[in-house]
Structures are given as C-alpha cells and as structure tokens.
Amino acid sequence: MLDSRLFSKMVLTAALMVTGSQAMAQSEGTLEAAELREGAARDALGTTSADGANAESRARLSGSGWSEFKRNLGLRFFNFTSASMEQVGKDGGRLESYNYFSLQYRLSRTESIAVRPAFFLNSGGSDYRGRFQESQFEWSDVYINYANYGLRFLPFDLDYVANLRLYLPTSESSQTRGMIARIRPYFIVGAPITSRMTYSIHFQPDFYIQSRTGYANDRGYANGNRNYGYNIFGELSYRLNRTFSLVGNLGHSKMWHHSVPVENVAVYQIEEVDIGASVGINWKSLATAVGVTQSRNVQRPFNNNSFSLFRDNETQYFARSYYRF
C-alpha cells in the first residue's frame, strides 16, 4: 500500500471542477462503450437461440417488467488520483482524489443513461505550496451522461462512441462562479491496427452557461469565468494479454475565459499540450491503470523552460480505477 506522503498536488487543483485531464478521460467513454458491446452481444446470443426466444416470450407474457428493469440497471464507481512528480518523496504529501458513483440504465443494445454524483476526498498533509491542509470532503458537480454505441450511419468501418454530458452546479466552486450548467459532448473514433493494437481519437468540446462573466478568487482579485473550449487526444493501445495492456497518448486542450471589462480583465485562454503513458489492468469487474501524464502550458511555460519530456514540475503520477458492481 502506498504511503500518503508520496502524494501531493493533483491535476484537479487548477479549479475544483471536473477536469479535462486526458488520463482521467481515457477510462470513462471507452469502458462505457465496452459495456454496451457486451450487452449487445448477450442480447444477440439470447435472440438467436430458440430457448432464449421462448424465455423472452414467456417473460413478456408473465409481465416481468421488473426483472428486465433490474437487468438493465447497474452501479459503477470511478476514482482518479494524481501526484506531482516534483512533490513525490517529500514528507507530508497529500492524498487527493476525484470520485463518482454512476447509477446507469441500459436503454437499448447500444444506449445507456447515467447519473453521476461526484466528490473530492483529500487526506491531511502538505499541498504543493508546502502548506498543511486538513483532510477534506467536497462535492463536485453532478452530471447526467447519455452514451450511444450504434452510430451506423457514419462513414468508414470504424468504431464510434458518442456521449453527451450535462453538469449541474452542485459544487461550492461552481456556485461561487455563478455557473448555471455545463454541456460537454464526448466523441470517440477507434480502429484496430493489428489483432492486439488499436488506435482511437477522443474529442471533447466544452461549453459553459454562466450567470456572470467573472468572479473574485480567494485573494479578492477578479477572474474571468470559463466560456468554452475543447480537449482532443489520440490514444495508442497494445494488448499484452487478456489482463495487461500498454497505452500511450498525445493531445491538445484549450479553454477560453470571459472578459470582465469593469475590472479590466481581458479575454484570455489557457492552452496545453499533453503526453502520457500507462499500464492498464483488466481483471473481472475492475479496470485500473497506473502511469504518468505531462501537461505543458503552451503560452506560459513554467519559468520559460524549453520542453523536456516528463519534466518534474509539469508531470503527475496517476492511478485510476473503474469498478462494475
């Protein structure tokens, strides 16, 4: 078991809102698509056998709608934890995590809908500024996710997944900023390269509906609220066996912020390039991965240093897990 001293600053500390981290995104939409495929395969096997067809007919006649409802209902748990490479090994490091439970319902062979209450759970310890922080629990923004793995009208022989997410301002951070809602589609296009290697492109547009253009930060200065942005990355995965896989990704993200003319805050944007590598583990109902991810601010690189792969002040270690009950 890892000592909590090995953990400190997370990717999530930029703002107490759901992050656009590629490392986090990799396990969500892809695993949902895998679940939908498994459900479709089970249905196909059931409807092609005479016994399955007869059982389905008997279920309809007996009015067993409750059994069908329970069969399509599922509970999932997601956890994402990250530690700054620069802080690893320093005493008093802080364990911080982003988590959600997902109550989801399979609408059809290729569709599902889920409600996900999310929260942060942080242990006591020193943050990346060296300040001691007490252990903390805090709600994040709950969101509703619709997933579809059945877009057959699209061209080429590719694997398509579409998600549509609606976030509601249940976190203190979003309420302080005056957020009304956040709309975040998530599209995945994938294709096999060999029997063991696959490549996929992930694209996440991001739109905020705000009640005001700015807010006061913890120092009392005016900041512009998030307006719109995107996150796009490519992922290359190589399956070693049924349990282990190697994954690499490269991407780009950008977020535009509102101006606040009365406070002389102009429109500004944050642009980052991301690169990462991880080892994936799939065992029964658990999908997990451990790895490293580097995010470099394109416009304001740290201390104006030239690019260096996995520079410690730009890189985080991460671990993520997705469990199906």
Side-chain angles (χ1 to χ4, degrees), residues 240-256:
L240 298 173
N241 50 46
R242 297 181 61 181
T243 303
F244 297 97
S245 60
L246 301 177
V247 181
N249 65 275
L250 176 65
H252 180 263
S253 61
K254 201 169 186 178
M255 176 61 65
W256 283 262

Side-chain angles (χ1 to χ4, degrees), residues 64-253:
S64 58
W66 176 244
S67 298
E68 180 70 12
F69 178 82
K70 289 193 296 183
R71 189 174 73 88
N72 290 324
L73 194 65
L75 181 63
R76 311 289 184 262
F77 177 73
F78 176 77
N79 167 270
F80 181 90
T81 303
S82 175
S84 169
M85 182 180 287
E86 188 178 33
Q87 295 294 313
V88 168
K90 293 185 178 180
D91 291 338
R94 193 182 191 201
L95 172 64
E96 302 180 347
S97 65
Y98 169 79
N99 315 266
Y100 66 68
F101 285 96
S102 178
L103 181 63
Q104 60 190 57
Y105 185 79
R106 193 162 62 97
L107 299 171
S108 69
R109 293 183 180 181
T110 60
E111 298 173 284
S112 70
I113 191 167
V115 178
R116 294 172 176 168
F119 59 94
F120 297 100
L121 185 60
N122 308 324
S123 69
S126 299
D127 63 14
Y128 69 102
R129 292 180 179 177
R131 302 174 303 184
F132 181 81
Q133 302 287 339
E134 298 288 345
S135 59
Q136 181 185 27
F137 172 89
E138 186 169 355
W139 288 109
S140 184
D141 292 327
V142 64
Y143 71 95
I144 301 168
N145 185 83
Y146 166 78
N148 189 316
Y149 171 69
L151 305 178
R152 299 305 181 191
F153 60 88
L154 293 174
F156 310 113
D157 186 19
L158 299 173
D159 193 6
Y160 298 96
V161 181
N163 291 269
L164 181 60
R165 296 174 176 178
L166 173 64
Y167 295 80
L168 301 177
T170 54
S171 69
E172 181 180 355
S173 175
S174 292
Q175 293 171 10
T176 299
R177 288 162 169 77
M179 189 183 91
I180 297 173
R182 179 186 184 189
I183 301 172
R184 194 181 184 199
Y186 182 7
F187 305 101
I188 305 173
V189 179
I193 299 176
T194 68
S195 60
R196 291 179 176 267
M197 183 177 295
T198 59
Y199 182 76
S200 59
I201 298 175
H202 300 237
F203 178 54
Q204 297 173 297
D206 208 351
F207 307 95
Y208 286 81
I209 302 173
Q210 310 278 17
S211 63
R212 52 184 180 270
T213 58
Y215 67 97
N217 62 24
D218 55 1
R219 293 184 174 183
Y221 295 106
N223 281 3
N225 267 325
R226 294 182 178 185
N227 190 2
Y228 59 89
Y230 65 84
N231 178 23
I232 183 169
F233 64 93
E235 176 184 292
L236 185 65
S237 176
Y238 182 77
R239 182 171 53 85
L240 298 173
N241 50 46
R242 297 181 61 181
T243 303
F244 297 97
S245 60
L246 301 177
V247 181
N249 65 275
L250 176 65
H252 180 263
S253 61

Side-chain angles (χ1 to χ4, degrees), residues 278-281 287-291 318-321:
S278 63
V279 177
I281 304 170
T288 188
V290 291
F318 72 85
R320 68 175 185 268
S321 297

Side-chain angles (χ1 to χ4, degrees), residues 21-47:
S21 167
Q22 295 169 13
M24 181 185 296
Q26 288 168 11
S27 62
E28 296 183 276
T30 305
L31 289 175
E32 287 167 359
E35 287 192 76
L36 289 171
R37 293 188 198 99
E38 290 172 7
R42 287 194 300 269
D43 288 349
L45 289 173
T47 55

